[in-house]
Amino acid sequence: MKLPFCFITRGSRMFYRLQQKEFLSHFPRLDVTASRCGSTQMCKDDKSFYITTPIFYVNASPHLGHLYSAVIADCLHRSKLLQGFNSRFATGTDEHGLKIQQAAEAAGKDPLIFCTDVSERFKHLFNSCNISFTDYIRTTEQRHRQAVEHFWSVLWNKGLIYKGIYEGWYSTQDESFLMPSQVGEALDSSGKEIKVSLESGHKVEWMKEENYMFRLSMFQSQLINWLRENPRVVQPERFHQAVLQWLQEDLPDLSVSRQRSRLQWGIPVPGDTEQTIYVWLDALVNYLTVAGYPDKHNQWWHMAHHVIGKDILKFHTIYWPAFLLGAGLPLPQVIYVHSHWTVGGKKMSKSLGNVIDPLEHSQTFTNDGMRYFLLRQGVPDSDCDYTQHKVMKLLNAELADSLGGLLNRCTAPALNPFQVYPSFCSQSFPSDQGGRAVTDDYHMLAAVKHLPTVVEQHYHSMHIYKALEAISSCVRQTNGFVQRHAPWKLDRGDSKDQRWLDTIIHVALECLRIYGTLLQPVVPEISNKLLTRLGVQPGKRSWDALNFLPRSQGMDCPFEGRPLGPDSGVLFSRLETQSDDKQKPKKTKKSANLK
Ligand code: MSP
């Protein structure tokens, strides 16, 4: 992967290098460890957590990829809340720049009205899909403008911004400067030869203009040190390595403004109304604006975690940390990178007509269904393909049949006529073998007991699919346990059988309680339904309350003997394809019966 940095022409580069040398001689070395907790390690006693999504461009309606970024961040935020953190979760919209200016022009709308309309659509999507953001930021807000102006002035006052001439390629779609090696040739829809970014495929244009440059080159070695000293700061590892690789190449200074005559839709450079601040500098500062910059950001800023897609890696792992170092601010704790969704094996695009409307699909598959699919199938390291058939197959197997079927069995009046959390009998299921439980049952208990640790680790490292894989495997084992002992065949007239039956149901309900609790960050509605049905009060749904099967260790179980909660129907309705159209699923009321 090559990095498309802004570059300056040969002649002018010599000039800048000279200027820079002179400048560096009276500039103190900036310290990478300026932060209070400058590494990826959290301060032990600090329970603040700050997570962000990228802010979304408002040139077009939200699509599946946008929801994916938001769902990942939402899952991390919810998991931190359940672990007792004071978590803040920011999302919002990126509303300035040439791309938005052109989109508003093309729509024949006033840019702010245009932005407000699309920004509302993002907000509506996130509210509809239970994205529990605590802050929604728009870069057109006054508080943000103040933060950007302040940030710019800090860099300016430190001598990190200077006026120069940028000459090179620019992609408006990516709002990105490119090196010649990042540019290739392609044909446009009318067959005309055009230059494109090799990375994104978007059209690029040659530009030459006077604007402000940021001394990015000065930060090269500090960025390398930061990445080397914090090997988990960019996750997954492959992206961390990619950034280090990029940093082995030349790191030219970065253009951080555009001429006002070309770009009116943006924040003017303080003190120079002829220039507009580069949209990426403007956009990245949103993370600070939400944290309360410039006055009150300390509590949140030193705990910043960013979720981003792989296409915006260089902006977050090179430009952003360099800006922050320049401004003397702590660097992000972790930058979680995810890959992309393709549809039918192809990149989503309007021209291919394969753009997935996440709202429409969430209505079809339910919010939780969509969230579960995206997080269960989405692998951060590589792109994943979205098809409705896959969604249905996965949701039917894991949510309707496996998890829903288990709940259905253990709460059905046939097996649980008194609708209670029945008693556990330690003679039937002693802590060592010798009762009616078999070796596989003990393996299952060990797996479920260990599950919270496994899940917490995977959530924390954004390997959410691995957490869900582990939960799904335990659900299968619990179904196997119930199936193996066929409680429906036991003789209720026999007191020993009755005790064993109760024990089987008690164990299965305990497993379900653990699954329901751990699944809350991913499928909050389904988890709520499940835990409510088990009679687990809201105050008993945090990580602290997990304590699996205390009766097997001779402790009291707070739920034993308690009535179950109300039955509000199947946990997740099976989705069935209409025979005339494979792509259109419909919901059925039936839940699977695994007997
Ligand atoms: N505005 C910038 C981000 C600025 S953050 C300071 C931007 N916006 S975006 O709307 O184009 O993209 C927002 C997020 O959506 C990015 O993380 C991007 O990777 C993600 N996705 C866009 N298309 C995607 C897929 N097809 N699949 C998964 N996520 C993708 O970039």
Side-chain angles (χ1 to χ4, degrees), residues 53-57 63 65-66 68-69 94 99 122 280 283-284 286-287 307-312 316 338-342 348:
T53 69
I55 47 169
F56 301 93
Y57 284 131
H63 65 58
H66 301 140
Y68 183 51
S69 287
D94 188 353
K99 164 155 133 167
F122 274 97
W280 267 101
L284 288 161
N286 93 84
Y287 303 133
V307 171
I308 61 162
K310 63 176 186 178
D311 54 323
I312 53 177
H316 285 82
H338 65 74
S339 294
H340 280 188
W341 285 94
T342 53
M348 263 187 279

XYZ file of all heavy atoms in Angstrom, residues 53-57 63 65-66 68-69 94 99 122 280 283-284 286-287 307-312 316 338-342 348, ligand 1:
302
model
N -16.979 7.456 16.306
C -17.040 6.942 14.927
C -16.412 8.024 14.064
O -16.264 9.159 14.520
C -18.483 6.753 14.424
O -19.078 8.059 14.257
C -19.327 5.924 15.355
N -16.093 7.706 12.807
C -15.737 8.812 11.915
C -16.996 9.673 11.764
O -18.111 9.171 11.942
C -15.429 8.117 10.584
C -15.417 6.658 10.850
C -16.143 6.410 12.108
N -16.831 10.922 11.463
C -18.033 11.704 11.153
C -18.306 11.520 9.664
O -17.380 11.457 8.853
C -17.907 13.179 11.586
C -16.573 13.775 11.152
C -18.094 13.295 13.100
C -16.521 15.282 11.322
N -19.576 11.408 9.338
C -19.954 10.932 8.005
C -20.177 12.078 7.021
O -20.796 13.091 7.376
C -21.224 10.067 8.133
C -20.994 8.901 9.057
C -21.315 8.993 10.424
C -20.396 7.743 8.598
C -21.053 7.940 11.290
C -20.128 6.687 9.461
C -20.461 6.783 10.801
N -19.688 11.901 5.807
C -19.913 12.913 4.769
C -21.402 12.985 4.453
O -22.059 11.943 4.339
C -19.170 12.531 3.492
C -17.690 12.769 3.531
C -16.793 11.775 3.133
C -17.166 13.993 3.918
C -15.418 11.993 3.137
C -15.790 14.222 3.926
C -14.925 13.218 3.542
O -13.575 13.429 3.546
N -25.286 4.608 4.008
C -25.355 3.237 3.485
C -24.858 2.245 4.535
O -24.486 2.634 5.650
C -24.646 3.097 2.136
C -23.164 3.332 2.169
N -22.297 2.624 2.952
C -22.396 4.221 1.471
C -21.064 3.026 2.756
N -21.093 4.020 1.872
N -22.168 0.563 5.031
C -20.822 0.749 5.598
C -20.843 1.752 6.737
O -20.133 1.589 7.735
N -21.660 2.778 6.606
C -21.738 3.794 7.661
C -22.352 3.184 8.925
O -21.875 3.404 10.033
C -22.595 4.980 7.207
C -22.059 5.650 5.969
N -22.858 6.101 4.957
C -20.786 5.914 5.587
C -22.099 6.637 4.005
N -20.839 6.530 4.370
N -22.222 0.189 9.772
C -21.234 -0.753 10.315
C -20.265 -0.040 11.266
O -20.050 -0.488 12.397
C -20.496 -1.413 9.153
C -19.497 -2.467 9.548
C -19.852 -3.510 10.408
C -18.196 -2.460 9.043
C -18.931 -4.492 10.751
C -17.282 -3.436 9.378
C -17.651 -4.451 10.236
O -16.739 -5.421 10.577
N -19.694 1.096 10.811
C -18.783 1.858 11.690
C -19.494 2.202 13.001
O -18.922 2.087 14.092
C -18.354 3.192 11.045
O -17.453 3.017 9.998
N -19.765 15.194 8.798
C -18.646 15.965 8.262
C -19.239 16.790 7.117
O -19.597 16.242 6.074
C -17.610 14.945 7.752
C -16.308 15.569 7.337
O -16.225 16.811 7.302
O -15.362 14.802 7.040
N -16.323 18.528 -1.766
C -17.269 17.480 -2.142
C -18.692 17.862 -1.736
O -19.637 17.686 -2.503
C -16.789 16.206 -1.430
C -17.729 15.074 -1.332
C -16.903 13.831 -1.191
C -17.360 12.906 -0.112
N -16.707 11.600 -0.254
N -28.861 10.720 8.825
C -27.908 9.888 9.588
C -28.401 9.724 11.025
O -28.402 8.625 11.576
C -26.507 10.524 9.585
C -25.682 10.139 8.379
C -25.610 10.968 7.266
C -24.977 8.949 8.359
C -24.851 10.616 6.157
C -24.209 8.581 7.248
C -24.139 9.423 6.151
N -10.025 17.952 6.094
C -9.627 16.872 7.006
C -9.128 17.409 8.343
O -9.360 16.797 9.376
C -8.592 15.952 6.360
C -9.280 14.783 5.701
C -9.546 14.635 4.376
C -9.821 13.629 6.364
N -10.223 13.454 4.163
C -10.401 12.812 5.359
C -9.883 13.193 7.690
C -11.022 11.602 5.651
C -10.495 11.980 7.978
C -11.065 11.205 6.974
N -12.310 18.328 10.054
C -13.091 17.153 10.479
C -12.460 16.437 11.674
O -13.152 16.050 12.622
C -13.229 16.190 9.309
N -11.142 16.267 11.640
C -10.494 15.513 12.720
C -10.659 16.202 14.077
O -10.794 15.534 15.107
C -9.008 15.309 12.396
C -8.746 14.294 11.275
C -7.348 14.464 10.681
C -8.927 12.861 11.788
N -13.137 17.395 15.216
C -14.459 17.118 15.829
C -14.321 16.296 17.106
O -15.103 16.447 18.049
C -15.385 16.417 14.823
C -15.332 14.909 14.926
O -16.011 14.304 15.760
N -14.482 14.279 14.122
N -13.322 15.392 17.105
C -13.149 14.517 18.271
C -12.812 15.342 19.521
O -13.215 14.975 20.630
C -12.032 13.506 18.012
C -12.236 12.629 16.782
C -11.214 12.422 15.858
C -13.450 11.993 16.540
C -11.391 11.611 14.744
C -13.635 11.181 15.421
C -12.601 11.003 14.530
O -12.774 10.199 13.438
N -12.923 4.539 16.139
C -13.256 3.452 15.211
C -13.250 4.073 13.821
O -13.900 5.102 13.605
C -14.664 2.872 15.503
C -15.100 1.911 14.406
C -14.688 2.175 16.851
N -12.517 3.454 12.898
C -12.464 4.009 11.540
C -12.459 2.882 10.501
O -12.090 1.749 10.812
C -11.192 4.867 11.316
C -9.930 4.025 11.509
C -11.180 6.096 12.214
C -8.690 4.644 10.891
N -12.838 3.222 9.278
C -12.717 2.260 8.181
C -11.300 2.337 7.613
O -10.594 3.335 7.787
N -10.903 1.290 6.916
C -9.513 1.198 6.434
C -9.163 2.300 5.435
O -8.003 2.645 5.267
C -9.261 -0.179 5.815
C -10.128 -0.452 4.587
C -9.784 -1.774 3.949
C -10.576 -1.916 2.656
N -10.274 -3.142 1.943
N -10.181 2.868 4.755
C -9.904 3.887 3.741
C -9.441 5.216 4.342
O -8.931 6.065 3.625
C -11.159 4.125 2.880
C -12.385 4.456 3.715
O -12.539 3.878 4.798
O -13.183 5.313 3.292
N -9.641 5.383 5.651
C -9.253 6.670 6.238
C -8.144 6.483 7.293
O -8.029 7.242 8.243
C -10.482 7.425 6.791
C -11.295 6.552 7.744
C -11.358 7.918 5.668
C -12.485 7.298 8.377
N -6.044 9.248 10.117
C -6.134 9.054 11.565
C -4.841 8.606 12.228
O -4.691 8.772 13.433
C -7.246 8.047 11.894
C -8.616 8.631 11.756
N -9.265 8.739 10.557
C -9.442 9.183 12.673
C -10.435 9.314 10.728
N -10.577 9.599 12.010
N -11.574 -1.049 10.712
C -12.365 -2.158 10.150
C -12.276 -2.157 8.634
O -11.965 -1.137 8.017
C -13.825 -2.108 10.620
C -14.592 -0.910 10.132
N -15.029 -0.784 8.837
C -14.998 0.211 10.783
C -15.682 0.367 8.713
N -15.673 0.999 9.874
N -12.573 -3.298 8.068
C -12.536 -3.411 6.607
C -13.907 -3.051 6.042
O -14.765 -2.549 6.766
C -12.099 -4.815 6.227
O -10.761 -4.973 6.666
N -14.119 -3.338 4.792
C -15.336 -2.861 4.124
C -16.319 -3.976 3.777
O -15.938 -5.130 3.696
C -14.947 -2.118 2.851
C -14.496 -0.708 3.137
N -14.250 0.207 2.172
C -14.280 -0.066 4.312
C -13.887 1.362 2.719
N -13.890 1.209 4.026
N -17.539 -3.571 3.545
C -18.560 -4.487 3.034
C -18.643 -4.332 1.528
O -18.706 -3.197 1.029
C -19.935 -4.177 3.644
C -19.996 -4.646 5.053
C -19.739 -3.917 6.169
C -20.301 -5.970 5.497
N -19.846 -4.698 7.294
C -20.202 -5.953 6.904
C -20.636 -7.160 4.860
C -20.428 -7.106 7.674
C -20.861 -8.288 5.628
C -20.756 -8.265 7.009
N -18.635 -5.457 0.845
C -18.937 -5.435 -0.581
C -20.333 -6.035 -0.727
O -20.852 -6.652 0.218
C -17.929 -6.299 -1.366
O -17.909 -7.601 -0.774
C -16.530 -5.694 -1.299
N -19.697 -1.241 -3.119
C -21.020 -0.596 -3.241
C -20.881 0.682 -4.046
O -20.002 1.493 -3.768
C -21.528 -0.218 -1.854
C -22.469 -1.209 -1.259
S -23.154 -0.561 0.266
C -21.870 -0.914 1.408
N -15.881 12.189 6.614
C -14.879 11.207 6.580
C -14.450 10.830 7.985
C -13.955 11.972 8.803
S -13.575 11.471 10.430
C -12.775 12.742 11.067
C -15.400 9.962 5.874
N -16.694 9.835 5.784
S -17.453 8.664 5.006
O -18.840 8.969 5.151
O -16.956 8.547 3.667
O -17.077 7.329 5.697
C -17.363 7.123 7.042
C -17.045 5.706 7.450
O -17.804 4.776 6.692
C -15.579 5.338 7.238
O -15.098 4.685 8.391
C -15.614 4.379 6.106
O -14.582 3.436 6.138
C -16.957 3.716 6.326
N -17.390 3.052 5.123
C -17.660 3.608 3.918
N -17.925 2.606 3.039
C -17.810 1.407 3.647
C -18.086 0.090 3.294
N -18.446 -0.255 2.084
N -17.995 -0.850 4.261
C -17.680 -0.537 5.562
N -17.445 0.694 5.919
C -17.315 1.661 4.961
O -14.587 9.148 5.458
